[in-house]
Amino acid sequence: LQGKTPKRPPENPATTCRAFYKALLLAWVLGCLGLAFLTAGGPVIKFIPGAPGAFLQASSQKARLFFTDHLTALPQTKRPYK
Amino acid sequence: MSFLFAILVVLVYSGAVLCLGSLIWNLLFRPLHALPEISPPARWATAFMLGTGGFSLLWLSLGLLDLFSPRIVAACLAAAALAGFMPAYRLTRQAVPRLYLALADTCRMGLGWTIFSLITLGLLICLGLTSLAGPVVVGSDASAFYMVLPKILAETHGLQPLTDVVTKHSTFGLMGELHYAAGMALRAGTVAKGFAMAAAGSLMILLLCLGSITGLGRRGQIIMLAMALSSSALTNYICDGKVDTFPAAFGIAAAYWALQTGRVPARALLLVGLFLGWAVYAKLSMLIALAPSLTLLILWRNHVQNAHQPWSRPYWAMQSRVLLVLASLGVLLLIPLVLKNWLLMGEPFAPVYWFSKSWGSWFAVRTYTPDEVRRFIYSYPLVMAYGQFFSQGGTISPLLVALAPLAFLLPRPKKWLRSPLFQATISGLAGLLIWVVLFPKGVGPRYILPVLMLMFPLAAKAAENLLGREKQPRFLSAGVWAALFLVPLLYLNEGFVDYYKGPVHFAAKIQDPSYKGRPHIMGPHPVVFSLELLNRRAASGDRVLMGMIYRYWLRTDLLTSLFHNQEWWQFYEQPSPQARWKYIYGKGVRYVMIDSLTHGHLNKTLGIINGIVVWRPKGEGTPPGLEVKRIYHHTRWSIFALSPKNPQ
């Protein structure tokens, strides 16, 4: 009513930080989920056609190799026979 | 009908275990009974674990005295059931409605939570059915040792060490094995391994109660249950006949009662000591990680409760009493292990210290290169959730790794040191740290599962807090929901997919009691097929030279007559392949089974090339008068039959 332009509230650094942290946390959660997909989702990945499927299969193989040693790289010694 | 009968045996057996545990609870822990701090399901699960520990000691005594006959086992169960029926009934009557109410609660929490709860419940049912109806898995250590010892004990009525490559396993604390043996003695067959599901059920109830102490709501508890069910380090061993579920269940029971320190009378410390002792008895690795972790937790909680007189003389006296009780109970419960190993193997301190040098010092199965050790140490904690290293045997839930950092968004407690959530988490972390420092090669979560589970409440609480309070835009909540739904489902798909085929196995066995998991599900497995062939062909008194680890399907008389360590040494000391053939034939061996992948050296030792025993002037080939014929071959597996050469 006074015709004054309302003042813009000062930016709360805590809120900005919180949003940044939340973005980081979201990236972490999705990263963990992605890694779970790459290491455990082999049977699903092989049904994905085309270039995305090939890319995912290669990534899955790399992720699994990273978490594998020379003993498990041997042919099916510990897994049930298929 | 026999399958249904076997299920009935397992159910009745579990009931008798509960009765014995309820009796012990009534006799020793009655002062804890009416306390509101202890929920009825926790009392119920505690009683079950007490019965599990109590019966294992009884079975061990009977096994060592060669009295493990079906009649005596049945009589012991009947006596326990009669004596403990009323206390067990009272505990059950209080606990079951509470569990039902908790289940009903989850259906009133909105569509998302209801679907999530149903997925979790579905996983639980699948696990239960697989543990009852699933086959013993070829490739699992269960078919090498953990189901073999019970089979022999149930049929011979006496405990005896296994032979050759799995001899050293006989020095372990036989907790789950003896329960399986009792089930097998009562004709439950492989269904006896379903008892692991009962132990896992107790674990899950106590884990949820532990979560409740740390401040988890119903939603957090469901998240924690989903974490447990997506930890293949737990679920694998509920189904396949291995026994890692038992130390984990005792460990979580000990952790629950440790977290009760200060809330309930000091008598609860006896429960911590008992459960911790049994956890260590069942898996020695618990001594390294879980014992320090829980000791820290108890001392910490005692310290907080007595903050008004810190570091005074009564304070130290009280803390010393705690340590004394824990140590005494631990030592007391390890005495049966020492006695058993002394009587069976002449090695009282095995498998930690061996007096005889011929045994070697420790298990040399984890032969990682320095580069591999560096890789998995640097990749902690991811390696625990995603690792597929040799002997790792399953992972902890990726949900733990994904959700734990959300704890930064939790409201800060007024007093950190007094927060049970903080105490449990730090104790778990301390245990993990001790383990990684002392055993950097022990990358399997199964070695320290209860310690890792102490960190579940933090991750679950963090997720529960976020999902309940995040304001728009709820991107992070969406990410968390995606993880909660997808991770358990992904782990259905992983390599252990066979374990979740429980409902299919179950239905097939109901229709056809002779169904053995093949050919419909597992395919005609060459190992099972070849061992059944041996069972048919071998006459009474024949022996088998076993160049293969997986042996559960072999006839019991053939299992008990396998080569002993001494005989193996003498076999290798023979000067030539020809002499070795002569030696084994003289020892009564009529069949030789070789897995070329794990025992390929036997081909060379016996002068076998491409499945044929070759004759060469330097002593290779079979000795005169002996004929060796390959009677079975499939990829890496071969069976040779020895017989006197036809004079013609």
Side-chain angles (χ1 to χ4, degrees):
Chain A
L1 291 173
Q2 298 290 321
K4 276 187 179 174
T5 311
K7 249 188 182 176
R8 189 180 171 196
E11 198 164 87
N12 183 355
T15 315
T16 317
C17 274
R18 205 175 167 80
F20 177 67
Y21 288 146
K22 280 174 76 174
L24 272 183
L25 288 172
L26 179 62
W28 173 259
V29 171
L30 293 181
C32 286
L33 180 58
L35 206 48
F37 183 67
L38 289 178
T39 52
V44 179
I45 289 173
K46 71 180 177 193
F47 289 113
I48 300 174
F55 173 73
L56 281 174
Q57 270 189 30
S59 310
S60 169
Q61 202 177 1
K62 278 197 172 172
R64 290 172 78 99
L65 263 180
F66 180 78
F67 290 114
T68 306
D69 58 294
H70 68 285
L71 284 166
T72 28
L74 283 173
Q76 302 285 323
T77 51
K78 298 291 286 180
R79 287 287 176 83
Y81 180 80
K82 301 278 189 233
Chain B
M1 272 311 279
S2 64
F3 176 57
L4 290 177
F5 172 76
I7 292 177
L8 189 69
V9 167
V10 174
L11 290 177
V12 170
Y13 181 79
S14 304
V17 168
L18 179 67
C19 288
L20 178 70
S22 305
L23 191 66
I24 299 173
W25 172 269
N26 238 21
L27 291 175
L28 297 180
F29 302 103
R30 189 184 277 272
L32 303 177
H33 191 72
L35 296 174
E37 287 86 358
I38 305 163
S39 67
R43 285 197 286 264
W44 197 46
T46 299
F48 186 82
M49 295 315 298
L50 282 171
T52 306
F55 263 126
S56 83
L57 292 178
L58 180 61
W59 300 149
L60 182 68
S61 316
L62 292 181
L64 288 172
L65 294 168
D66 288 352
L67 293 173
F68 198 84
S69 67
R71 281 185 186 179
I72 296 179
V73 169
C76 291
L77 290 171
L82 279 175
F85 180 77
M86 277 321 287
Y89 173 71
R90 278 195 292 271
L91 283 178
T92 308
R93 202 181 54 184
Q94 290 162 358
V96 171
R98 289 288 287 267
L99 288 174
Y100 176 75
L101 277 179
L103 194 66
D105 260 4
T106 58
C107 297
R108 290 195 287 266
M109 291 188 305
L111 186 65
W113 285 104
T114 305
I115 294 173
F116 181 53
S117 308
L118 287 177
I119 290 176
T120 312
L121 200 65
L123 284 180
L124 200 60
I125 291 169
C126 283
L127 267 178
L129 294 180
T130 314
S131 101
L132 284 169
V136 177
V137 178
V138 179
S140 152
D141 290 348
S143 59
F145 173 78
Y146 296 97
M147 289 291 281
V148 180
L149 186 132
K151 180 177 173 180
I152 294 175
L153 175 57
E155 292 197 27
T156 60
H157 308 167
L159 194 58
Q160 50 186 297
L162 261 58
T163 52
D164 65 50
V165 287
V166 285
T167 305
K168 282 185 176 180
H169 287 66
S170 310
T171 61
F172 292 173
L174 306 174
M175 176 64 73
E177 295 92 331
L178 294 180
H179 288 289
Y180 296 166
M184 287 179 179
L186 301 174
R187 301 185 186 281
T190 56
V191 181
K193 69 187 171 62
F195 184 69
M197 188 63 209
S202 296
L203 180 154
M204 286 172 205
I205 289 174
L206 286 166
L207 186 67
L208 297 183
C209 296
L210 186 150
S212 171
I213 300 176
T214 60
L216 283 187
R218 195 69 75 211
R219 294 173 174 84
Q221 286 177 317
I222 299 170
I223 294 173
M224 203 154 73
L225 192 59
M227 282 182 184
L229 290 173
S230 54
S231 297
S232 49
L234 173 71
T235 53
N236 286 350
Y237 303 117
I238 295 174
C239 303
D240 77 341
K242 220 174 158 213
V243 291
D244 293 47
T245 316
F246 292 89
F250 280 115
I252 286 299
Y256 170 79
W257 286 101
L259 210 56
Q260 288 282 19
T261 308
R263 301 174 83 223
V264 298
R267 190 173 287 227
L269 192 63
L270 285 179
L271 283 169
V272 182
L274 274 176
F275 289 140
L276 189 57
W278 273 322
V280 173
Y281 172 82
K283 204 167 188 67
L284 283 173
S285 58
M286 297 293 165
L287 184 65
I288 313 294
L290 185 67
S293 179
L294 294 190
T295 308
L296 170 70
L297 184 59
I298 294 172
L299 295 181
W300 186 346
R301 287 191 62 84
N302 265 336
H303 172 78
V304 168
Q305 294 299 319
N306 295 279
H308 55 282
Q309 48 164 4
W311 320 119
S312 60
R313 201 179 167 131
Y315 170 87
W316 284 116
M318 181 200 58
Q319 297 286 45
S320 311
R321 265 200 307 275
V322 168
L323 292 177
L324 192 69
V325 169
L326 287 181
S328 315
L329 279 170
V331 169
L332 195 70
L333 288 173
L334 286 180
I335 288 175
L337 181 66
V338 171
L339 266 176
K340 182 208 73 172
N341 287 339
W342 183 45
L343 290 172
L344 285 187
M345 319 274 286
E347 292 283 350
F349 301 117
V352 177
Y353 179 80
W354 303 77
F355 284 107
S356 167
K357 298 294 173 209
S358 67
W359 290 106
S361 59
W362 190 251
F363 291 85
V365 288
R366 295 187 291 271
T367 48
Y368 299 120
T369 63
D371 178 50
E372 283 162 356
V373 176
R374 263 194 303 277
R375 184 150 34 104
F376 57 63
I377 286 181
Y378 291 152
S379 56
Y380 266 97
L382 294 179
V383 68
M384 285 272 173
Y386 305 103
Q388 296 173 4
F389 289 92
F390 182 74
S391 84
Q392 189 166 358
T395 58
I396 198 78
S397 174
L399 287 175
L400 174 65
V401 183
L403 304 181
L406 300 179
F408 287 115
L409 300 176
L410 276 173
R412 290 181 188 176
K414 283 180 188 164
K415 288 187 178 170
W416 286 89
L417 289 179
R418 285 184 171 271
S419 157
L421 184 65
F422 187 64
Q423 291 165 350
T425 309
I426 295 297
S427 304
L429 275 175
L432 176 62
L433 192 68
I434 292 170
W435 177 255
V436 175
V437 169
L438 294 180
F439 287 90
K441 288 183 180 179
V443 71
R446 65 199 171 97
Y447 298 117
I448 52 167
L449 197 57
V451 170
L452 296 171
M453 283 182 163
L454 273 176
M455 291 180 256
F456 277 11
L458 178 79
K461 176 86 182 165
E464 182 185 33
N465 170 66
L466 177 92
L467 295 175
R469 294 188 183 181
E470 195 187 19
K471 291 173 184 158
Q472 297 285 353
R474 305 182 64 189
F475 292 130
L476 189 50
S477 291
V480 170
W481 270 120
L484 287 178
F485 275 103
L486 289 178
V487 167
L489 289 177
L490 270 176
Y491 278 74
L492 282 179
N493 250 323
E494 219 261 328
F496 301 106
V497 66
D498 288 322
Y499 300 147
Y500 290 102
K501 286 185 176 161
V504 183
H505 289 298
F506 196 85
K509 278 198 172 177
I510 292 284
Q511 286 169 7
D512 173 15
S514 65
Y515 167 81
K516 289 181 182 170
R518 61 192 165 80
H520 323 287
I521 306 293
M522 296 289 284
H525 198 293
V527 166
V528 181
F529 183 82
S530 59
L531 294 184
E532 285 180 349
L533 178 73
L534 271 179
N535 291 344
R536 284 195 301 275
R537 285 188 67 130
S540 174
D542 286 356
R543 298 180 74 186
V544 177
L545 185 79
M546 196 68 169
M548 185 178 71
I549 299 168
Y550 311 113
R551 57 195 59 186
Y552 173 75
W553 299 268
L554 206 56
R555 230 168 54 201
T556 307
D557 62 314
L558 297 175
L559 278 173
T560 50
S561 66
L562 291 175
F563 258 31
H564 293 280
N565 275 33
Q566 289 280 331
E567 289 172 313
W568 273 111
W569 284 118
Q570 285 168 7
F571 165 78
Y572 284 118
E573 280 165 4
Q574 299 299 314
S576 66
Q578 201 178 70
R580 286 184 195 115
W581 283 111
K582 195 174 172 185
Y583 172 75
I584 61 172
Y585 190 75
K587 284 281 178 185
V589 171
R590 296 295 176 267
Y591 297 93
V592 176
M593 166 114 204
I594 299 177
D595 177 349
S596 298
L597 188 71
T598 58
H599 288 70
H601 63 278
L602 275 181
N603 283 322
K604 193 178 171 191
T605 315
L606 288 167
I608 298 168
I609 296 175
N610 292 331
I612 298 166
V613 184
V614 288
W615 167 259
R616 282 189 195 142
K618 283 187 181 172
E620 290 92 341
T622 49
L626 188 62
E627 191 173 32
V628 179
K629 200 173 162 189
R630 188 163 75 174
I631 56 169
Y632 175 80
H633 176 68
H634 186 292
T635 55
R636 50 187 252 213
W637 296 282
S638 303
I639 298 176
F640 298 89
L642 287 78
S643 56
K645 195 174 267 178
N646 192 337
Q648 294 286 320

